Amino acid sequence: MLDRYGFEPAREAPDRVRLRNCPFHPLAAQAPDLVCGMNHAFLTGYLQGLRAPAVQAILAPSPGECCVELQDATEDGEGAAD
């Protein structure tokens, strides 16, 4: 799904997937907070729909890439129950 929508996912580690592209890059250049918030909400909802509590979408801005990455939900201490 992430490939199909243009996010260009890349596994950087066993517990982390970086999204190499923002499908809304032209708009993100003008309104990064809006687009990053939208991408974060979209990917969080997608993971919830998949019932994947062990994975979380986090904001992790990096120049030229999507500001969201997917990682192990226990990595920051929040745990899968949140």
Side-chain angles (χ1 to χ4, degrees):
M1 187 283 296
L2 296 173
D3 269 332
R4 185 173 43 222
Y5 287 105
F7 286 100
E8 298 179 13
R11 184 170 297 277
E12 289 192 339
D15 61 348
R16 186 174 55 242
V17 174
R18 185 81 199 152
L19 304 176
R20 297 284 179 210
N21 183 57
C22 175
F24 310 102
H25 184 72
L27 181 57
Q30 295 176 346
D33 290 339
L34 172 69
V35 174
C36 289
M38 179 184 69
N39 280 338
H40 183 252
F42 171 71
L43 292 166
T44 296
Y46 181 71
L47 292 170
Q48 288 173 346
L50 288 176
R51 296 185 179 156
V55 182
Q56 66 181 344
I58 63 156
L59 288 172
S62 183
E65 297 183 352
C66 181
C67 56
V68 179
E69 75 177 26
L70 306 178
Q71 63 179 229
D72 182 334
T74 60
E75 191 167 293
D76 68 357
E78 287 185 22
D82 289 345

